Amino acid sequence: MSIPNSTAACSVAVQDERNALYRKITWRIIPFIFVCYLFNYIDRVNVGFAKLQMLKDLSFSETVYGLGAGIFFIGYVLCGVPSNLALTRFGPRRWIAVMMIAWGLLSTALLLVKTSEQFYILRLFTGAAEAGFFPGMVLYLSQWFPASRRGRIMALFMAAIPVSGLVGGPFSGWILNHFALGQGGLAGWQWMFLIQGLPTVLLGVLAIFMLSDGFAKARWLSDDERRLLEADLRADAASKVQGVSDSVSAVLRNPVVWAFGLVYFCIQSGVYAINFWLPSIIKSLGFSDALVIGWISAIPYLLAGLFMQLVGHLSDHGGERRWYLVVPMWMGAAGLIVAVSFADNPVMAIFGLSIATMGALTGLPMFWPLPTAFLSTAAAAAGLALINSMGQIAGFVSPYLVGWVKDMTGTTDVALYLLAGMTVLGSLVALSVSRR
């Protein structure tokens, strides 16, 4: 039986209205939180560039650096779930502002570090301050976009990661070079923490005015737009897998949540190995100028940003989430192996690092549509924070492992092979849990 023309026309009109609504929401929300996440990631990993100067200035070993880079994630993991629960209690607008102002000030204070103990303490508290930001943003976006649109939205939001490498690498290299002589009594690495940390404080203040505590309180939406969005989100909630209790204790006991956490840990192991050690790996290829290292490090991030957007759109249109996650994970593992295997060939090594960065970073946004489609709205606050916290443990394990192995063997090869194997393990778990 054919559909009457009037019914078909009505359906098309509603779909056009829906597409226009989500374009409006995207342009209103994504640019600001993209910039926030950009500085979040720059503040988190700029110690990778500071390492090029601060280790010599402060007489730190590779192990001290690896522990300092990684201890950030101890604070992050300990505060992840409580911070996300606080976000639901006080509202995204206020809590995100508090977090950003706090971590901006703490990140800036790294310029005052003189001892390894001070380095550890500041990194620990910076991690605690940042803990609720990313899982809070995932939860926040799930309250604005149904599951069918989250692949591309997460790719847009998380494009801040490759952009932070694309922009942050050359910018950090320029700061290190420009201020290398110690203008104003500060070394280049100290200027870098100052210049890159203070904008986060300003963004935290702006969050009060730029964010809305849910679509029901968004004055920039009409009543009709609110009703359409509410209907879409209600239908999306009804389609979730049943059997996950909304209580925090039940979420923490759910084996599927822990399986997702293991997958995310494996993905992040490769990501953080790249983020924290890419400048040093490029330097070991024979490049000594900090600005040149910054520009070369931008290449993998540029390719990763483009690949991330392509895969995000394909995953929403294809509707098959599993393989759009697993294949990039395999690319990440293969790229690390190529980079290690051809360490004596700079072109092939950078090619391998580019493939690894494209795969590892694309795995991040392709992962989150799976748990957000599985967890109910009430269970998501604790569940997403737990999954993210498990993933962030890799931020401690991965850089510390690489630093320790390099101190013991003089090379990062063994550590990168281990991380490649871990990524493959995560892909197999992802196939298993997503098949259920």
Side-chain angles (χ1 to χ4, degrees), residues 153-216:
I153 290 301
M154 289 303 300
L156 282 172
F157 169 53
M158 298 189 73
I161 299 177
V163 171
S164 72
L166 181 63
V167 176
F171 186 43
S172 297
W174 177 83
I175 293 173
L176 293 177
N177 273 5
H178 184 75
F179 295 99
L181 298 179
Q183 290 91 323
L186 299 177
W189 61 271
Q190 292 174 305
W191 276 107
M192 188 187 72
F193 285 130
L194 178 67
I195 292 171
Q196 295 180 350
L198 289 182
T200 302
V201 179
L202 176 60
L203 287 168
V205 175
L206 289 176
I208 293 288
F209 306 98
M210 297 295 294
L211 297 178
S212 302
D213 287 327
F215 67 88

Side-chain angles (χ1 to χ4, degrees), residues 85-170:
L85 294 175
L87 183 142
T88 63
R89 170 66 177 84
F90 299 108
R93 201 164 52 92
R94 295 180 184 86
W95 193 247
I96 288 170
V98 168
M99 287 190 291
M100 295 190 69
I101 293 170
W103 95 59
L105 292 173
L106 288 165
S107 182
T108 303
L110 282 166
L111 68 89
L112 303 174
V113 163
K114 300 296 183 184
T115 67
S116 59
E117 290 78 12
Q118 293 171 349
F119 183 44
Y120 298 154
I121 290 169
L122 278 176
R123 288 289 291 174
L124 179 70
F125 281 101
T126 305
E130 290 190 27
F133 179 78
F134 178 76
M137 285 291 96
V138 174
L139 178 62
Y140 189 63
L141 291 174
S142 72
Q143 295 169 352
W144 288 90
F145 296 93
S148 61
R149 296 176 181 266
R150 285 180 202 151
R152 73 198 87 170
I153 290 301
M154 289 303 300
L156 282 172
F157 169 53
M158 298 189 73
I161 299 177
V163 171
S164 72
L166 181 63
V167 176

